[in-house]
Amino acid sequence: MSTIVGVAAGFGVAVLIPPTYEATGSVVLNGGAVRDPVTGQFLETSLARNLVPTIARLAESREVGQAAAAEARVPTDMVVDHVSAEFEQGVQIITIKAHAPTAALSASIANAVTHALGQHVEEHPIDGTGSVDAQPLDQATPSMRPILPKPFLDACLGGLLGSLAGIGMARARDQLDDKISDIDELRGVAGAPILASIPFDRRVAKSPLSTDRPYVPWAEAFAQLRTNLEFLGVDSRPRIVAVTSAAAGEGKSITSCNLAIALARAGRRVLLIEADLRRPACSRYLGVDGTVGLTNLLAGNVEPEEAIQRWGEEGLMFLSSGWSVPNPSELLASRKCQDFLREMREQYDTVVLDLPSLLPTADAAVLAGRADGVILLARHRHTRAKQIRRAVDALTKVNAHLLGCALNMVPPRQEAKGYGYGYRFDQVRRPEHDEGLHRSLN
Ligand SMILES: Nc1ncnc2c1ncn2[C@@H]1O[C@H](COP(=O)(O)OP(=O)(O)OP(=O)(O)O)[C@@H](O)[C@H]1O
Ligand SMILES: [Mg+2]
């Protein structure tokens, strides 16, 4: 794009620049051979040849310029500023070049200068060398082709500069824009494996559960997440799995719900805990009443059996966040919370924790450190590499075990290219195929 702009700009400049014409005349220096005072022979080095540089400078002088301007009937500056004299070593010819806005004017200035130069040399002998003269050799003739502008050259130059500017701008943008744009980048920045690439699906806002449409690519991503999670923990399967992300709105709650559903569908005993006490959303996504839950339980007001509810045909168990409390961090960091999680770990195959974002508060880090493993979610072209690094640091500080990452809201086009599936350990399976896999793992 910048190349096209550059070409257009170069061409535009060429069109706007007024034309400049060049005419070339020349003078030849004659005479001035030096006689050896002893032998009376003419020396090989002629005085005229030695005077070429001096006379060339004279051609560009104001004095000669004034005389030439009078002859060509133009202002003196038009001559002095636009005339140059050139010569070759050992040749007694001086070339006079004149630039002017019209072809005729450039020729008449060049001719006037050659004439004025001849007269000046004749009238003002240098060091008494009256025998050297400067005779016009070639008359300048008008050339109809201007030397400037050169539209083709300017357009090429513009294009080249445009391309370079484009490359420079792209580099600068890449350095400033550190938003995660593919799974390879996420893997590199987090230093952890990729467990899923979850496509963007515009129906998620109205229909956030994979049970409603299990075979669309978005829903299949959760089956893939579950499968990859189980492969990671072949030796010691993480029983408490926390889902978190660096910032808000990156899809933690929807991922937690659908991962829990995917695990329950595979026949596991699963407890999903809405552990985000500040922005609880799982109750809403699952369509259940969340007024009694974790906070009531930790406050000692209810027993786990009263607070934990069964959800759906798959037998998923769900604990909502409960009443909102003024001190969520304190509650989550409490001994009681730790004991409760330990108890649940014994009772269920997997406990999925829907955590808050890692960066703004300490809540997420506290619980992440108590989980067996953490899934760090990033949102495509939204989460910054810097945020991922900070999130990984926060997890490291609490000795949390980062199991891997998932990239959410990946454009379906990027997914369709097969890019999103490059990390697969295996192909996505339909639930009925998964039964066999789980039996073999158990
Ligand atoms: N794959 C997806 N495709 C389209 N929209 C999505 C996808 N995943 C999540 N969303 C949308 O993103 C929004 C936030 O989702 P979710 O509540 O799961 O995020 P969160 O990280 O838990 O947010 P919070 O930080 O508030 O807890 C929801 O409106 C949801 O519809
Ligand atoms: Mg949430």
Side-chain angles (χ1 to χ4, degrees), residues 41-52:
Q41 300 276 310
F42 280 103
L43 291 177
E44 210 181 293
T45 310
S46 108
L47 187 58
R49 197 177 300 164
N50 293 341
L51 287 177
V52 168

Side-chain angles (χ1 to χ4, degrees), residues 249 251-254 276 279-282 285 354-356:
K252 298 177 288 293
S253 300
I254 286 180
D276 185 345
R279 294 158 68 109
C282 293
Y285 294 141
D354 172 34
L355 296 192

Side-chain angles (χ1 to χ4, degrees), residues 187-202:
R187 189 191 349 248
V189 173
I194 299 298
L195 302 175
S197 172
I198 307 164
F200 178 87
D201 185 321
R202 63 186 166 76

